[in-house]
Amino acid sequence: MRQIILDTETTGIDPRDGHRLIEIGAVEMVNRRLTGNRYHQYINPERDIEAEAVSVHGITNERVAEEPVFAEIADAFWAFIEGAELVIHNAPFDVGFIDHELGMLNARRSEPRLGPVAEHCRVLDTLTLARDKHPGQRNSLDALCKRYEIDNGRRVLHGALLDAEILADVYLAMTGGQTRLSLDASASSTGRDGQLTGLAIRRLSLSPGQLRVVPPDEAELAAHRAKLDRIRDASGECRWDAHSGLSGEEASR
């Protein structure tokens, strides 16, 4: 399954007020693995950027004055995303701007006609997904980074490519993806909720004695017991006790 994690920056809030795209950032993921392929482009919006928008993303009129206009980059951008599932945080915002740009482009040329996005790509809105998983909580990208312990220290200002890269990590964490284990992606499929099903662990070919088992020392065991005690105190039970065959009282000794 090919997914494109995508983000944009704009001159303002609403394309119906004449606002335009000024940056597109996107990273490619196939079978929940980042491929290293990415698309990144600054765009001359052919209008001024609102001061409030500059305070969010830091992109000034001077920064994009010599960049190509959307018509010059549209075909390459469309080739990158067409047919993929787009993973976007607050997708209606970004898709609305992309469709607005494509609509203006199509009005000026006959072929090839590009878009609209929803007719050529599936769209997964991670903001909707986060609200379903965490109702009543803050679900901004920064809040999700904190919740899932994703490092966003570089995110001083919004930036399309950086935010797409961070969103990829958040999406994998939010949908239960473990990208660092050796998993056989060909034996898996993605369910409607984005969860992987049918995962097969790829067995390593090791001779007896090659895999060294390091037992915990006393300090590590003590830390483990203390952690289990905190779980028991907070919830009244600890599932580890059932697996170890000990009662809570016995396990805490």
Side-chain angles (χ1 to χ4, degrees), residues 96-170:
F97 268 94
I98 294 169
D99 279 344
H100 179 70
E101 294 283 358
L102 294 175
M104 290 193 297
L105 175 64
N106 289 334
R108 297 196 298 270
R109 72 182 191 183
S110 55
E111 295 293 338
R113 298 184 67 81
L114 308 180
V117 168
E119 292 183 9
H120 298 267
C121 305
R122 292 178 59 190
V123 179
L124 189 157
D125 186 355
T126 51
L127 179 57
T128 299
L129 181 62
R131 286 170 173 168
D132 289 341
K133 291 178 68 68
H134 309 291
Q137 300 183 53
R138 293 181 62 248
N139 288 299
S140 66
L141 188 56
D142 284 334
L144 291 172
C145 285
K146 183 176 182 180
R147 185 171 302 142
Y148 289 102
E149 299 182 347
I150 304 296
D151 181 12
N152 66 338
R154 296 177 295 157
R155 195 178 188 242
V156 179
L157 293 170
H158 290 218
L161 182 60
L162 175 59
D163 285 2
E165 292 171 341
I166 292 173
L167 180 59
D169 289 339
V170 168

